[in-house]
Amino acid sequence: MKKRIRDYGVKIGSLKTGKNNLITDVLGVKVGNLTLKMGDINTGVTAIVPHDENIFKDKLIAASHVINGFGKSVGTIQIEELGTLETPILLTNTLNVGKVSDALIEYMLRKNEDIGITTGTVNPVVFECNDGYLNRIRERKIGFKEVENCIKNAKSIFEEGAVGAGTGMSLYGFKGGIGSSSRVIELNEKEYNLGTLVLTNFGLQKDLVINGINIGRDISKDKLEESLDKGSCIIIIATDIPMSYRQLKRISKRASVGMARTGSYIGNGSGEIVIAFSTANKIRHYEKEDFLNIKIINENKIDRVFRAVAESVEESILNALVRAETLVGRDGNIRYGFIETLNSLNLNIKSE
């Protein structure tokens, strides 16, 4: 199995990680990847399934946050208005958002015969990054079959790096993709989990920072100050800590701290979108009661969660970096694997 950032002696932050150090340490959450690698086609789709039940009938409290809005996401408006999530979250490439959204709608219709007949419609949630440097993005290869298989095959243990939606993505001038991490937070003498998953496609090589060390400066061939960061990052936060929409919104804003710790300044042409959800409270679609009893965290204890988000996002990004291998893509374009580059230069990233 490919190594993760901790296997190289790099420990991020002070909080304990979850059992597998993945977003799926939050019970019920599963992740699926569908990868297409066929010559100039290097793309895919990633599904985050929030729980094991029918997500349309048992919605979760959720929030979204836009760090920088150069993106083509679907579904955030309703999440902002109602504060609930009612479908799996799908990640793909920019020009495939429409097809993946349509496929997710079809998937939900097949699972819920009441949608559009005896009840309302459904709000698909789809996010994207641009993989056009390594993928012939105009081909738009992801459709219903790929989306259905991705969701159906979602598991608690999943691959990172150049897989799923991350297949054709770049990170700090190297190969990027999917990365994940988790943290454990003790509240009322009970352990809770918070996990993150990132789709990384951002950063200038010279800006790369690992555990406070600007390693990118030593290995970058791009010394031009006028270089621009036009990439993007999608960040998914899951937790089993009881939280309100407002509290999930607050922790979403801390995701930018994790990005900044790796060297990102979040450029003008970038799209950084965060979605956070809690599995602790379910909002039933066919609820008959006029009032709901919902537990939320004491605001005076939320600093621990803020720290967990920052640490987990930082580590997720670095996991995406070290797990992705060199890929020759569209028209011979190449993104080299970070670890392969270090090995060729006889460098290491072990923390002191």
Side-chain angles (χ1 to χ4, degrees), residues 121-132:
T121 56
V122 65
N123 183 49
V125 180
V126 182
F127 296 97
E128 55 79 28
C129 291
N130 186 348
D131 61 11

Side-chain angles (χ1 to χ4, degrees), residues 32-245:
N33 286 305
L34 189 288
T35 302
L36 295 180
K37 287 184 179 179
M38 303 176 293
D40 281 357
I41 302 301
N42 295 284
T43 194
V45 60
T46 295
I48 299 91
V49 179
H51 63 63
D52 293 328
E53 300 167 40
N54 186 315
I55 184 66
F56 180 75
K57 292 179 180 176
D58 292 295
K59 308 179 198 302
L60 298 180
I61 297 176
S64 67
H65 173 61
V66 178
I67 301 173
N68 196 69
F70 201 102
K72 288 78 179 171
S73 302
V74 172
T76 57
I77 294 176
Q78 184 169 308
I79 289 175
E80 282 298 284
E81 184 65 27
L82 301 184
T84 55
L85 176 68
E86 61 184 25
T87 73
I89 301 165
L90 297 189
L91 312 178
T92 189
N93 76 52
T94 307
L95 296 187
N96 246 116
V97 168
K99 291 184 68 177
V100 169
S101 177
D102 184 67
L104 180 53
I105 291 171
E106 180 63 28
Y107 178 84
M108 296 301 294
L109 291 178
R110 295 186 185 190
K111 293 289 183 179
N112 299 273
E113 295 181 355
D114 51 338
I115 293 177
I117 302 296
T118 59
T119 190
T121 56
V122 65
N123 183 49
V125 180
V126 182
F127 296 97
E128 55 79 28
C129 291
N130 186 348
D131 61 11
Y133 183 73
L134 294 173
N135 171 50
R136 193 166 294 283
I137 195 169
R138 290 173 62 94
E139 294 293 325
R140 304 174 69 223
K141 288 290 186 180
I142 306 298
F144 177 77
K145 179 182 71 174
E146 289 77 18
V147 167
E148 181 182 42
N149 288 339
C150 184
I151 297 173
K152 283 185 174 181
N153 293 321
K155 299 178 175 65
S156 57
I157 302 296
F158 57 94
E159 282 295 309
E160 298 166 287
V163 295
T167 302
M169 303 300 173
S170 305
L171 179 58
Y172 287 112
F174 299 101
K175 188 66 193 73
I178 297 291
S180 188
S181 182
S182 71
R183 292 295 184 272
V184 174
I185 304 158
E186 187 172 308
L187 298 163
N188 282 359
E189 300 181 347
K190 178 182 176 182
E191 289 190 341
Y192 291 85
N193 288 282
L194 180 143
T196 61
L197 180 142
V198 296
L199 173 61
T200 59
N201 194 52
F202 67 92
L204 301 178
Q205 197 170 91
K206 63 185 177 182
D207 292 333
L208 174 62
V209 173
I210 296 181
N211 235 8
I213 300 172
N214 184 193
I215 193 168
R217 184 184 300 143
D218 297 328
I219 59 180
S220 176
K221 297 179 182 178
D222 180 14
K223 307 298 181 183
L224 300 177
E225 289 302 320
E226 60 266 25
S227 297
L228 301 176
D229 179 4
K230 298 180 181 180
S232 300
C233 186
I234 305 302
I235 302 170
I236 311 300
I237 304 170
T239 186
D240 52 14
I241 300 170
M243 286 189 165
S244 66
Y245 157 84

Side-chain angles (χ1 to χ4, degrees), residues 29 49 68 75 170 217 273 291 302 331 335-336:
V29 177
V49 179
N68 196 69
S170 305
R217 184 184 300 143
I273 317 294
F291 297 97
I302 205 168
D331 299 329
R335 285 290 188 229
Y336 291 99

